[in-house]
Amino acid sequence: MDLQGCLNRTTFQSLKLTSTPSSSSSPFLFPSLYKTKTPTIHSPKFPFPRLTKPLPTSSASVVQTSPATTNISSEQGGKPQWKATIDFKWIKDNKETVAANIKNRNSDADLELILNLYDKLFILQKEVERVRGERNVVANKMKGKLEPSERQILIEQGKNLKEGLIALEEDLVKLNDELQREAQCIPNLTHPDVPIGGEDSSTIRKMVGSVPKFSFPVKDHLQLGKELDLFDFDAAAEVSGSKFYYLKNEAVLLEMALLNWTLSEVMKRGFIPLTTPEIVRSSIVEKCGFQPRAKNTQVYSINDSDQCLIGTAEIPVGGLHMDSILAGSILPLKYVAFSHCFRTEAGAAGTATRGLYRVHQFSKIEMFIFCRPEESDYYHDELIKIEEDMFSSLGLHFKTLDMASEDLGAPAYRKFDVEAWMPGLERFGEISSASNCTDYQSRRLGIRYRPSEALVPGPKKSKGNLAPPQFVHTLNATACAVPRMIICLLENYQQEDGSVLIPEPLRPFMGGLNVITRKS
């Protein structure tokens, strides 16, 4: 499921988890234009690809570099503590394209302000260079033999130039910080086939199955869970608050079955399994394109710290190769990560959010890919096909949507959502999404790769003839969000006697249990 904000977590101290509003802006990406083709690619064989280790020590695989995202020290509040690699010249040269994209995505980025700041920065940089040049001229003159009066004049000139340069450089830092902060609001470019408009403008990419027919009154997952003793929301509300829950009895087995079955299915397709940290630095959340301290954020932030609880494993997996140059020969890197996820669900209310549909904590398995730019469209299709194949094998009725521009979120170039039919809710509900974020995240996280081809063919490779490093593309997709999958399975597989069948693929992971029945 797509995370529009971000979440984070806490340690065993007297901490408060809060959604703290701030003027901090979301991070930004910029291009290379996205000219993509569909390559012939073969995924590594199960169980593990033998191309690399997640964090290899050999310089042939990954080179740790000095961070491209440098710290910014300032007393000014709301300032990003890192810098994204933003192509301002491209933005200026393609102003109309960027402006149209900002409008289509209903973004509040201020392009005119950004370009104005960029022009001011350019002028100020020229002035700094001019003053530095004059200072160097004065310094060179003082190396020769001079009359005392001449030397004194040059000393005064040098002093004035130094003071002026310090003031200019301070202004340059402040202006650069402001430009960076504003530019990080610009959303990713948008795939040309994405429908323009709000969520209602999204188009159906694929429809699988049909609405199931029942010869008896249909129950929702809350009623089924109560009758089969599978949940306890009341006790959880007393212990933790609303939108928390206990799973009980067969529901616990069902969660474990979903997780293990999903991992086994995705690993067969060459993905490396991970478990991730569930507390990350706020800067990592921002670099992935979310706003942990913005108004109505979905992120739980830890008071008096720079840490947050994750809302999706996309965030810690995205940071796995931060500030690195990957060898092109090891791409793509495909990961499947299990984590608990935490979301504030700010503003969520109504019958559509009852029970397990919107909760503050849940288990999820996320797929994530680092790849070459020309391959990201191909792998986006692969991710959504994996999702569709798994949901089909569970016998669900679902539709895949090509999400409209205003529903993409800042990092996504294109996003496909899967919505499954939930009989008890009498509607489709989102169970998964798959996003191609192109180089939006990698420009913030500092993740590049070195193409294996040399610029100039020859018997030896040297730094002079190697192709320059390029930013990777990143993609993410939900393989299994447990609570909503439990909703789908309970409501779609309910029987007239009140029992619930277990779908065939999950039975080996349920200890052979075929049906959930009422307790005697």
Side-chain angles (χ1 to χ4, degrees):
M1 292 174 287
D2 189 57
L3 179 65
Q4 296 296 336
C6 258
L7 326 134
N8 281 282
R9 187 186 167 177
T10 174
T11 58
F12 275 66
Q13 300 174 355
S14 298
L15 299 176
K16 293 182 180 179
L17 291 176
T18 60
S19 288
T20 316
S22 161
S23 59
S24 169
S25 300
S26 124
F28 161 85
L29 144 116
F30 261 107
S32 64
L33 288 173
Y34 305 110
K35 297 178 181 178
T36 57
K37 59 182 179 181
T38 303
T40 301
I41 300 170
H42 302 283
S43 297
K45 294 182 179 180
F46 174 83
F48 298 106
R50 296 182 61 191
L51 15 158
T52 184
K53 297 177 182 178
L55 288 174
T57 56
S58 167
S59 60
S61 299
V62 176
V63 178
Q64 296 296 331
T65 63
S66 57
T69 52
T70 54
N71 288 336
I72 302 170
S73 59
S74 173
E75 297 176 359
Q76 188 174 346
K79 181 169 296 182
Q81 298 301 305
W82 49 273
K83 291 184 179 180
T85 306
I86 300 173
D87 191 341
F88 289 105
K89 185 178 184 304
W90 189 94
I91 296 173
K92 183 173 182 177
D93 292 344
N94 296 271
K95 176 181 176 181
E96 292 183 2
T97 298
V98 177
N101 188 60
I102 289 172
K103 180 180 179 181
N104 291 340
R105 295 175 73 124
N106 196 28
S107 169
D108 59 1
D110 191 337
L111 182 59
E112 289 299 329
L113 173 59
I114 293 165
L115 293 178
N116 183 259
L117 291 171
Y118 177 61
D119 289 339
K120 287 182 178 179
L121 185 70
F122 183 80
I123 294 170
L124 187 55
Q125 284 173 332
K126 289 293 185 183
E127 180 63 12
V128 168
E129 291 170 7
R130 184 191 67 79
V131 175
R132 283 175 182 164
E134 288 188 11
R135 189 184 174 196
N136 290 338
V137 170
V138 170
N140 288 332
K141 286 181 179 180
M142 291 182 66
K143 292 177 182 178
K145 292 183 179 181
L146 298 169
E147 294 294 329
S149 59
E150 291 179 286
R151 183 172 295 278
Q152 187 59 39
I153 291 172
L154 290 175
I155 289 173
E156 290 297 324
Q157 288 180 351
K159 180 181 177 182
N160 292 335
L161 288 169
K162 180 181 178 180
E163 291 174 352
L165 184 59
I166 290 172
L168 287 172
E169 287 176 337
E170 288 177 352
D171 290 342
L172 187 64
V173 169
K174 291 178 182 178
L175 188 57
N176 206 0
D177 291 347
E178 185 180 1
L179 174 60
Q180 179 76 202
R181 185 172 63 252
E182 293 296 334
Q184 286 175 13
C185 294
I186 301 178
N188 198 351
L189 292 177
T190 306
H191 190 286
D193 293 340
V194 167
I196 305 302
E199 186 176 358
D200 293 342
S201 300
S202 301
T203 58
I204 296 178
R205 170 187 168 100
K206 187 175 184 178
M207 181 75 76
V208 174
S210 58
V211 176
K213 305 294 183 183
F214 295 91
S215 59
F216 54 88
V218 173
K219 302 171 184 176
D220 66 13
H221 72 283
L222 281 171
Q223 186 175 354
L224 289 165
K226 182 177 181 180
E227 293 175 357
L228 298 173
D229 195 21
L230 300 178
F231 318 132
D232 194 330
F233 289 94
D234 293 336
E238 292 295 323
V239 170
S240 302
S242 63
K243 297 187 185 297
F244 287 92
Y245 58 94
Y246 286 96
L247 294 183
K248 299 171 62 179
N249 298 313
E250 293 90 345
V252 177
L253 301 181
L254 188 56
E255 175 174 38
M256 297 300 114
L258 282 166
L259 295 173
N260 283 291
W261 172 74
T262 300
L263 276 174
S264 67
E265 288 298 309
V266 178
M267 286 171 64
K268 289 175 185 177
R269 293 158 168 90
F271 285 70
I272 300 168
L274 295 174
T275 60
T276 73
E278 292 169 1
I279 298 176
V280 296
R281 300 185 188 279
S282 298
S283 59
I284 307 302
V285 178
E286 293 169 354
K287 290 173 185 179
C288 287
F290 305 109
Q291 301 184 56
R293 301 181 191 276
K295 186 178 180 181
N296 292 325
T297 181
Q298 295 297 309
V299 180
Y300 280 109
S301 295
I302 302 173
N303 273 359
D304 303 319
S305 83
D306 71 338
Q307 294 175 310
C308 304
L309 293 173
I310 66 169
T312 169
E314 170 191 347
I315 296 162
V317 179
L320 184 61
H321 296 295
M322 184 172 62
D323 299 322
S324 296
I325 298 178
L326 307 172
S329 58
I330 69 172
L331 296 178
L333 286 173
K334 301 162 131 186
Y335 295 106
V336 54
F338 164 77
S339 74
H340 296 102
C341 302
F342 306 85
R343 304 188 182 185
T344 68
E345 295 299 348
T351 57
T353 68
R354 293 172 63 239
L356 292 173
Y357 193 82
R358 287 198 188 279
V359 290
H360 291 310
Q361 177 184 335
F362 58 95
S363 300
K364 182 162 75 81
I365 292 180
E366 185 81 2
M367 297 179 286
F368 198 99
I369 296 177
F370 300 90
C371 71
R372 296 169 180 262
E374 66 271 16
E375 297 172 352
S376 63
D377 278 349
Y378 172 88
Y379 286 116
H380 197 195
D381 286 337
E382 179 182 277
L383 288 172
I384 196 65
K385 186 177 188 306
I386 291 172
E387 293 177 340
E388 291 172 345
D389 287 348
M390 290 195 299
F391 300 146
S392 294
S393 71
L394 291 176
L396 300 180
H397 169 42
F398 64 87
K399 59 183 177 180
T400 304
L401 300 171
D402 193 350
M403 301 308 292
S405 57
E406 293 180 19
D407 196 60
L408 293 183
Y413 173 58
R414 193 178 197 182
K415 180 165 74 83
F416 300 130
D417 278 7
V418 176
E419 295 184 355
W421 182 254
M422 300 178 178
L425 295 177
E426 297 184 318
R427 68 177 184 88
F428 285 98
E430 181 192 343
I431 59 171
S432 176
S433 67
S435 298
N436 181 358
C437 296
T438 61
D439 60 355
Y440 191 97
Q441 294 174 328
S442 63
R443 283 177 175 269
R444 290 159 171 71
L445 291 162
I447 308 172
R448 296 176 292 169
Y449 76 98
R450 176 83 66 180
S452 54
E453 308 81 14
L455 286 176
V456 181
K460 294 183 179 180
K461 288 185 178 180
S462 65
K463 290 183 179 179
N465 69 355
L466 285 177
Q470 300 178 32
F471 288 102
V472 300
H473 279 196
T474 62
L475 304 98
N476 65 84
T478 307
C480 178
V482 168
R484 293 192 185 179
M485 291 302 295
I486 289 178
I487 292 174
C488 289
L489 297 180
L490 293 182
E491 293 186 359
N492 281 283
Y493 281 93
Q494 60 183 297
Q495 305 298 301
E496 189 169 8
D497 63 359
S499 65
V500 174
L501 293 178
I502 303 297
E504 289 279 356
L506 298 180
R507 291 179 184 178
F509 300 89
M510 294 282 294
L513 184 68
N514 296 338
V515 62
I516 303 173
T517 58
R518 294 193 186 199
K519 313 299 178 288
S520 57

